[in-house]
Amino acid sequence: MEIKPLIAVVLPVYNGGSLLAKSIQSVLKQDFKNFEFLICDDCSTDDSLAYLKKTCEDIENVKVVTNDENQGLFGTLNRLIHLSTAPLIHLWSQDDVMKSHCLSGTLAFHTKHPEIGMSYAARDLIDGQGKLISEAPEDGTPEIIDKHLYAKISSYWGCMAGNIANVTITKVAFQTIGNFNVEMKVSGDFEYWTRIAQQYQIGFNNDPNIFLRVHQGQLSQQFNSVACRIAEDIEIMQTLLNMASADDYLKVKRSWTWKTQTSFFNEFIYLMRNRQWKLAKQSYSSINKITSPTSLAIRWGIVKTMRVLGSEMWFYKTIIKTLN
């Protein structure tokens, strides 16, 4: 009798390079074995596909597929999730490393909270060579997050999970919410969590069960991604404002005005300093649709001054009247 997997790991691969092997091996070395591992090569131009065929194709619970044309991260995730048969889907990244208890801990968390549509876990940070940068900080976020709290937290901190590699979604939620939006190139994960939060509670697992790798080759570090993220996050923020409770609306609005928008202006300055003129112009155009760039520049200057004075967090809390 065939035993149905309790959790799936889905891994989109595109030019995984030298980090891919460590990422895959960390999944295969889990202390929990009843899982399926679905991998899709998205038309890599390096030797990623050759490595996958050599290493994974003869392993019973691993399936390797390929895209005929490059689908991007979110299109490839959609394909893999549709292929999965498990009730839980852990999204995975070619850069990162699972701790050995990642899947067993995630399964236990979802068993404890069957009502949630997704969960995200704390994570430790490592660099490109695998050296520990920092352990997960103390986090007072509750285990269960409703849509109003999701809107409040996300308006202040941005994408709540921050990544895909520490996220698990339920197959039921995916079937209800639908596919990732492939029109979004950078913030498709943020947009998807926001859609889930409108219909399901979200769980926060405060156990750091992965090592998240930070390095310059990541999509989020590229100049194109900076400009794209500004435009996409503006769209998501409008949804967060609509999700906020009546009591929290003003706080969410102030977070949007003083923290998120000033971070956009900071990224615009970053593009200017790196002489990315076309991308800077594109970012300026996106910002101009939501606020006066002159007014935003003044707000940005105030925030920078508070940072120099060591009073940035105090200033945010005073302006926003605290998020807690």
Side-chain angles (χ1 to χ4, degrees):
M1 180 179 177
E2 184 179 358
I3 300 176
K4 185 176 180 179
L6 295 178
I7 188 168
V9 179
V10 295
L11 173 61
V13 172
Y14 179 72
N15 292 350
S18 61
L19 301 178
L20 179 60
K22 291 182 179 179
S23 174
I24 287 177
Q25 289 303 315
S26 73
V27 178
L28 298 177
K29 293 178 180 178
Q30 289 296 293
D31 62 13
F32 176 80
K33 302 303 180 184
N34 187 15
F35 69 93
E36 60 181 349
F37 191 8
L38 307 174
I39 307 170
C40 181
D41 182 79
D42 192 24
C43 303
S44 294
T45 58
D46 66 0
D47 61 355
S48 292
L49 182 56
Y51 170 78
L52 293 173
K53 288 182 176 180
K54 179 180 178 181
T55 306
C56 300
E57 286 196 332
D58 293 331
I59 302 177
E60 185 177 357
N61 64 329
V62 181
K63 182 176 182 178
V64 177
V65 297
T66 59
N67 288 335
D68 294 332
E69 297 180 354
N70 184 271
Q71 299 296 315
L73 172 61
F74 301 116
T76 304
L77 279 175
N78 287 335
R79 182 184 181 190
L80 287 167
I81 295 171
H82 280 292
L83 288 173
S84 68
T85 63
L88 295 175
I89 300 100
H90 186 98
L91 312 184
W92 193 232
S93 166
Q94 64 189 21
D95 302 326
D96 304 322
V97 177
M98 280 189 185
K99 297 182 182 181
S100 62
H101 70 287
C102 177
L103 296 185
S104 58
T106 297
L107 181 61
F109 186 84
H110 276 261
T111 300
K112 180 182 177 182
H113 300 292
E115 74 279 11
I116 62 178
M118 69 168 271
S119 69
Y120 72 101
R123 68 285 187 282
D124 297 333
L125 299 182
I126 57 175
D127 64 15
Q129 288 70 50
K131 182 180 179 181
L132 183 68
I133 297 174
S134 63
E135 295 182 342
E138 291 187 16
D139 193 327
T141 304
E143 282 194 351
I144 300 298
I145 302 160
D146 65 17
K147 70 175 183 179
H148 299 313
L149 182 57
Y150 175 89
K152 191 161 58 169
I153 294 173
S154 299
S155 68
Y156 191 84
W157 296 108
C159 182
M160 183 179 289
N163 324 274
I164 66 167
N166 56 336
V167 170
T168 300
I169 65 175
T170 69
K171 192 65 177 285
V172 170
F174 180 78
Q175 292 168 337
T176 302
I177 304 300
N179 290 341
F180 283 86
N181 182 354
V182 296
E183 298 301 316
M184 287 198 163
K185 305 304 180 185
V186 178
S187 298
D189 51 349
F190 189 8
E191 189 269 346
Y192 200 76
W193 317 152
T194 302
R195 269 194 280 151
I196 289 181
Q198 292 176 73
Q199 298 195 47
Y200 293 91
Q201 292 178 320
I202 290 176
F204 171 56
N205 181 0
N206 202 17
D207 171 34
N209 57 25
I210 72 164
F211 292 106
L212 182 75
R213 198 181 298 273
V214 180
H215 63 96
Q216 290 301 311
Q218 293 169 302
L219 173 65
S220 60
Q221 303 293 328
Q222 298 170 11
F223 291 128
N224 282 331
S225 297
V226 173
C228 189
R229 180 170 58 247
I230 291 173
E232 293 177 356
D233 281 5
I234 286 172
E235 180 179 336
I236 296 166
M237 193 62 215
Q238 302 305 317
T239 303
L240 294 177
L241 284 168
N242 293 332
M243 288 171 63
S245 67
D247 290 340
D248 291 332
Y249 181 85
L250 187 57
K251 294 177 183 178
V252 172
K253 183 70 174 179
R254 285 172 174 168
S255 293
W256 169 233
T257 302
W258 279 97
K259 194 169 191 297
T260 309
Q261 290 184 14
T262 53
S263 72
F264 291 162
F265 196 81
N266 202 52
E267 292 179 324
F268 164 73
I269 296 297
Y270 168 74
L271 292 172
M272 291 284 287
R273 285 175 175 169
N274 285 277
R275 301 184 179 183
Q276 299 294 315
W277 312 123
K278 183 177 180 180
L279 293 174
K281 182 178 180 181
Q282 178 182 326
S283 299
Y284 183 90
S285 178
S286 297
I287 292 169
N288 194 40
K289 293 176 182 178
I290 56 169
T291 189
S292 162
T294 301
S295 173
L296 181 54
I298 293 171
R299 277 179 272 146
W300 176 80
I302 293 172
V303 170
K304 292 290 282 187
T305 301
M306 291 297 104
R307 182 174 299 172
V308 170
L309 296 175
S311 303
E312 182 183 9
M313 294 304 297
W314 169 85
F315 176 74
Y316 281 139
K317 289 181 179 180
T318 301
I319 289 292
I320 300 166
K321 303 299 182 185
T322 191
L323 286 173
N324 298 320

